[in-house]
Every structure is written in structure tokens, then in C-alpha cells.
Amino acid sequence: MNQISQENILVGEIANGLPLTIPVYRIKGDGSGPHVFIQANMHGAEVQGNAVIYQLLEQLKHLDLRADFTLVPYANPIGCNQKSGEFTLGRFDPITGTNWNRMYYDTTHLVDEFAAQHIHSSHDVVIKEFRQTIINTLDDKLSGPAYQLTTGQRIAYNLQRLAHHADIVLDLHTGPISSKHLYCPTYAKNSASYFNIEHVLLIDNGFAGALDEASFCPWWDLSHAFAKQGREFDVAVEAFTVELGSQEKIDLAAAKEDALSILSYLTYKETFNNGQYRPVTMTRYACHLDDYIAYYAPMGGMVEYLAPLGSHIKAGDPIANILRMERYLSETPLHTLTYDHDAIAILHFASASVNQGTELYKFFTNYTEL
């Protein structure tokens, strides 16, 4: 049985001066495979990833590992404790209002100078030195004057530093009320078919602050920079955001299925020797991020959601009813909403009570089979 070690990393201090820590679990392989980093619960209500990490550890401790694994549940200890009554509000830093998953540091500015200096370096040297350059930059940010970093940045940079040691990065999230889907960079499109996830969002090279982008964008930029100099260099890191379903609940049986899905992908990436995990046969649908459309409530009211998540709807199909009882005598109180495109319903708002302009649904449009 593989030994699992635990370290609690310091990421800040809370108001009474006590340390703010995050648990980090590690399992060592034989060193012949890639390094894998998996984290969960950056957003406070998105707790299912913690159950998936539990199920992954239960599997990994019995496998003949080639890869080293770093697994981080409870990645945001402030967010997961940010409660209001029965609900967890930990999507945004309550002090700054910034999305917790938009505070990672953009290291793409390091690329051009590095590429110019290493145009003739070996492949292995490029990977080692570029990785260390990124980590050194994060170390400088973390060791600089403490007054220059927000709470969220200090948490994010510590997590990002761990992730940049890895060749494979998986950030586990959930939606409000959501079907499972995968954010996948276009260069790694072939890898998406090894996850047991039906819906795949294809994203281009561009940093918007999330961990998957922080992990792959500098390597993608480096590949382009070398290409301009006539050198072929494949993107060395694969990073995905894995959306596991709906927030505010854990389901251990579903978590085991999600763990097997991840292990199917990791079998493909040769992270262990006894890889008996295989992808489930299913039709997978891909949608470019530009075609992932938000549908906003055209009026306020109480919503009955009609479009089943993961279902294919036709243009003009009813997707929701909005009940407006304060207008019962003055106008029709019940309004049926439709969408004017063929689409796949991926997620919807968690509450039945909505203001005008609330994001009701997210839809795949212009989708294709993967």
C-alpha cells in the first residue's frame, strides 16, 4: 500500500492572529511518470470535489504508481466557512468582492525573454528551467512585503506554486444546479474523451485568472514563442477545470464514479502501471467557450425550470415558467420562456426566486460531437 503524507501549508492569518492553513496530501510514485496536482473547494459551496479527492486517495493508495500526486481538499478555508444561515456564500472574497478563482498570478509575461534565452536548450532543460522560473516568480510575490497581497491572492499564489510543480492540473468545481462538464484547452482536445464527462467546453489560450489558465497559458505561450523562432515545442502541461455537478452537497457514490473518470484519464497519461481504468462509451459533445451562452431572466418572478440539465432542446422549446403573483389581476401572471436556438442545457440558477437580469441558464450552442 502506498504511503500518504500530509502537510498543512500556511496561507495567511485570520483576524484573531491564528494561522490559516490548507491540508496537502502527497503520494510518491517511482518517478517515471508525470506529476499530478488536484485541488477542490476553491469556491466555498462547491464541496463535491472533497469527496472525489477522498475516493481518489482510496484508489491511489493501492496502485502501482509512476506519478507523484499532490491532492488539496478545502483549497479555500475562508470560502468553505463563509456561511449565511443554511447556505455557503464562498464564491467571492467578502472583503474585495473578487471571485476566489480569479486571483491567480499571470506569469505569461515571462515567456518571451525565456524563449529567447533558451532557443537552443534541450527539451528537458526548457521544462525544468521554465518551471523553476515561474515558481521563483511566485516565491518573490509571496516573500515580498506582506501589505502588497490580499487574503485571496495569498491563498491563490500558494496553491498556484504547488500546481506549477505538476505536469497535469485538475481543479475540481461544481455549478449552482449543474450537469457535469469539463473545461478543456483546445490543444488537449483529444484528452477530453478519456474523462467520463459528456459535455466539454473548449477554451483558447487566454488568461482570465483561473487556476487552469494560470497553469497552461504560460506553457502554451512558450510553445508559440518557440514556434516563431522555428522550434517545435509541444505544450508541456495539461490543465482542466472539472465541473462535478451541483453545489452544496456531497454524494460519495457519485464521487467514486467521478474518481474513476479521472483515473481513466490518468491511465491514458500513464501515471500508474496497473491502469485498469477505461473511459465509458458515450457520445461527448464539445462547445467552444464563445458559444457557451448565458440566458438572463427577462423579468423578475418565481421560476419553474423546465429544461432538464444535459438535455438537447430545440429552438422555441419552453425552458422555464415565471410566476408573477403580484400581477395576477392586472396581467397574465404566468409567463413561459423559450430559447430561440437549438442548445444543450448545462446549468441553471440555484434559486426559484430571481430578479430581472439574473443568469437563469447556461447553454451549449453550435455544439458538435467530440
Side-chain angles (χ1 to χ4, degrees):
M1 182 180 294
N2 297 312
Q3 183 176 358
I4 301 171
S5 64
Q6 179 177 351
E7 174 190 9
N8 294 318
I9 63 169
L10 180 67
V11 296
E13 296 177 356
I14 54 177
N16 63 0
L18 292 177
L20 189 67
T21 62
I22 295 172
V24 178
Y25 295 96
R26 292 186 174 91
I27 310 178
K28 300 287 289 184
D30 65 14
S32 64
H35 188 155
V36 180
F37 176 84
I38 303 173
Q39 75 172 31
N41 209 178
M42 190 60 181
H43 289 141
E46 301 180 11
V47 294
Q48 177 68 359
N50 298 316
V52 173
I53 286 179
Y54 164 76
Q55 296 288 22
L56 282 169
L57 287 169
E58 289 294 289
Q59 297 288 320
L60 290 171
K61 64 188 180 182
H62 299 295
L63 297 176
D64 182 11
L65 299 180
R66 299 180 60 197
D68 294 340
F69 285 81
T70 301
L71 303 101
V72 184
Y74 310 119
N76 180 358
I78 292 181
C80 65
N81 288 292
Q82 192 181 332
K83 306 291 291 187
S84 179
E86 299 177 10
F87 302 101
T88 310
L89 304 181
R91 184 171 184 83
F92 302 97
D93 183 333
I95 307 301
T96 66
T98 304
N99 187 326
W100 289 113
N101 193 38
R102 296 295 183 272
M103 301 191 207
Y104 298 98
Y105 188 64
D106 184 2
T107 60
T108 57
H109 67 280
L110 302 171
V111 167
D112 289 340
E113 181 179 353
F114 182 90
Q117 293 174 348
H118 290 272
I119 184 61
H120 298 301
S121 298
S122 70
H123 181 272
D124 289 347
V125 167
V126 166
I127 292 192
K128 179 181 178 181
E129 292 299 322
F130 189 52
R131 177 165 283 143
Q132 194 60 54
T133 297
I134 293 173
I135 292 169
N136 289 346
T137 300
L138 290 167
D139 284 343
D140 289 343
K141 300 294 285 187
L142 287 166
S143 62
Y147 62 80
Q148 293 183 345
L149 294 182
T150 68
T151 302
Q153 287 173 329
R154 190 170 296 280
I155 292 171
Y157 295 177
N158 273 285
L159 293 168
Q160 185 178 356
R161 188 185 185 282
L162 293 175
H164 275 300
H165 284 278
D167 309 289
I168 295 167
V169 176
L170 303 179
D171 194 13
L172 308 184
H173 285 258
T174 65
I177 305 297
S178 179
S179 62
K180 295 177 185 180
H181 53 290
L182 179 74
Y183 284 83
C184 173
T186 53
Y187 72 85
K189 181 178 178 180
N190 290 339
S191 293
S193 61
Y194 290 90
F195 291 91
N196 300 329
I197 297 177
E198 189 176 358
H199 303 109
V200 178
L201 270 167
L202 298 175
I203 55 179
D204 290 327
N205 189 13
F207 180 77
L211 180 65
D212 57 349
E213 299 157 345
S215 299
F216 70 65
C217 281
W219 293 97
W220 205 344
D221 280 1
L222 183 63
S223 177
H224 288 313
F226 277 143
K228 291 178 182 177
Q229 301 180 59
R231 176 176 181 175
E232 183 177 346
F233 188 87
D234 291 336
V235 182
V237 170
E238 288 193 357
F240 306 88
T241 295
V242 185
E243 298 280 352
L244 299 165
S246 302
Q247 64 188 24
E248 290 280 38
K249 65 177 184 178
I250 66 167
D251 180 329
L252 286 169
K256 185 169 184 179
E257 293 303 313
D258 293 328
L260 296 178
S261 169
I262 290 170
L263 291 168
S264 169
Y265 163 70
L266 294 176
T267 296
Y268 164 64
K269 299 303 291 185
E270 299 181 341
T271 61
F272 34 77
N273 290 317
N274 49 342
Q276 71 272 34
Y277 308 95
R278 295 292 182 268
V280 172
T281 300
M282 64 171 67
T283 302
R284 294 169 175 83
Y285 297 93
C287 169
H288 195 276
L289 189 60
D290 289 342
D291 294 315
Y292 188 42
I293 303 301
Y295 182 104
Y296 299 100
M299 62 187 73
M302 304 292 125
V303 180
E304 178 187 20
Y305 298 96
L306 300 178
L309 296 181
S311 68
H312 294 231
I313 63 170
K314 294 294 184 182
D317 283 351
I319 62 168
N321 288 321
I322 292 192
L323 181 64
R324 293 151 60 87
M325 284 303 296
E326 84 289 355
R327 308 294 181 91
Y328 185 78
L329 294 178
S330 60
E331 66 176 52
T332 302
L334 189 63
H335 298 257
T336 298
L337 306 182
T338 62
Y339 187 45
D340 54 3
H341 297 279
D342 291 352
I344 303 174
I346 299 297
L347 60 82
H348 67 66
F349 192 58
S351 175
S353 175
V354 302
N355 297 326
Q356 185 181 42
T358 297
E359 183 181 281
L360 282 188
Y361 279 100
K362 293 293 285 289
F363 291 114
F364 275 19
T365 64
N366 298 322
Y367 54 87
T368 59
E369 289 189 16
L370 187 65

